[in-house]
Amino acid sequence: YEQAIQHLTELYQAQGYLSARVGPAVLERVGRGRAVVAIPVYEGPRTLLFGVSLQGNELIGDRELLAAAGLGRGEPFSYLALEDAVRRMTELYQERGYLYARIEPDVRFSENRERAEVAIRIIERFEVRIGEIAVEGASRTDEGLVRDVLRFRPGDLYRPSVIRASQDALMALGVFTSVTITPQNPELPERVKPVVVTVHERLPYFFDASVGISTGQGFRAGAELQFRNLGGYALDLAVRGQVGFQFIFQDAELEQNIGSLPLKEDE
């Protein structure tokens, strides 16, 4: 019931009832062996968004920022929706290369708390470009291959979408268990950020064996040996083998035909 009360409170707050109080739950008996749970709810005033104003934005216009924020006038106001709006606007700036842009919202309420006005202060700062690229963890993989797969080069704008695309491209090689690409000292604002590419390699080989027996195929065994990342260039070599011996026969004619086959063909 505590979890249910918490969930109900969050639902009310998401719909603009910021002062809503839910609970505590009370067990009320209604007869022998029967009871109901009563959860009191105080909704309070519903707060609607009256307006949004932007300050400090020069690189991106009001219309584009407000479209990214998704805050509509007259809609229920909630802090969760405001957090999502700040995140989307921040991502918009970061995708333009402004990695350290800051979005600072300030909320003002009317006396009856039925209206909310949001003033958003934007600190754009500066473009961030990619500096030196360091590769770590590639002990068996050719470092040049890793660098060739990257979708960015020194001097490019630092864009999160390009970083994610580079991580996906490296994982697609099939020789790494994980790939992370991060700026060096990410908390330190710099116009040129060194980038660290960290990879964790798979084992250089893979071996698998299987045995079985059935009335249709008899005894059978197989093995596979795979060599990964040959020469450090994400090349694989696989060797497979399988043997079988049929000794279970449910058909006499089939047994005679198979039993008469020679193991070696005469020249």
Side-chain angles (χ1 to χ4, degrees), residues 49 51-54 65-86 88-89 105 118-120:
L49 183 61
V52 181
S53 61
L54 302 177
L65 279 171
L66 291 174
L71 297 173
R73 182 174 181 178
E75 295 182 354
F77 172 82
S78 73
Y79 285 104
L80 179 60
L82 182 58
E83 290 177 6
D84 290 339
V86 169
R88 288 190 292 267
M89 286 190 289
V118 178
I120 299 178

Side-chain angles (χ1 to χ4, degrees), residues 59-110:
L59 302 166
I60 302 179
D62 290 1
R63 180 175 298 181
E64 187 175 1
L65 279 171
L66 291 174
L71 297 173
R73 182 174 181 178
E75 295 182 354
F77 172 82
S78 73
Y79 285 104
L80 179 60
L82 182 58
E83 290 177 6
D84 290 339
V86 169
R87 174 183 54 80
R88 288 190 292 267
M89 286 190 289
T90 302
E91 290 174 352
L92 180 60
Y93 268 101
Q94 290 178 344
E95 193 58 28
R96 304 285 177 89
Y98 293 86
L99 186 62
Y100 295 101
R102 293 207 316 266
I103 312 293
E104 300 177 348
D106 181 44
V107 184
R108 298 184 180 90
F109 297 97
S110 61

Side-chain angles (χ1 to χ4, degrees), residues 159-255:
R159 299 172 56 198
S161 64
V162 176
I163 299 299
R164 290 191 296 268
S166 298
Q167 291 180 164
D168 293 341
L170 286 173
M171 287 297 297
L173 293 176
V175 297
F176 304 122
T177 59
S178 66
V179 177
T180 58
I181 303 176
T182 57
Q184 192 177 70
N185 300 322
E187 299 83 8
L188 177 63
E190 295 176 299
R191 294 183 181 272
V192 179
K193 292 297 293 183
V195 173
V196 180
V197 181
T198 305
V199 298
H200 295 276
E201 297 174 317
R202 294 181 183 274
L203 292 175
Y205 58 85
F206 169 79
F207 178 77
D208 183 44
S210 62
V211 295
I213 187 171
S214 68
T215 58
Q217 297 179 336
F219 173 79
R220 63 186 185 277
E224 177 182 353
L225 178 60
Q226 182 180 25
F227 298 93
R228 296 168 171 164
N229 202 11
L230 293 177
Y233 289 97
L235 300 175
D236 293 348
L237 174 64
V239 180
R240 301 181 181 89
Q242 185 172 347
V243 296
F245 177 69
Q246 177 61 279
F247 63 94
I248 302 175
F249 299 98
Q250 296 178 333
D251 187 296
E253 183 178 354
L254 177 63
E255 180 180 4

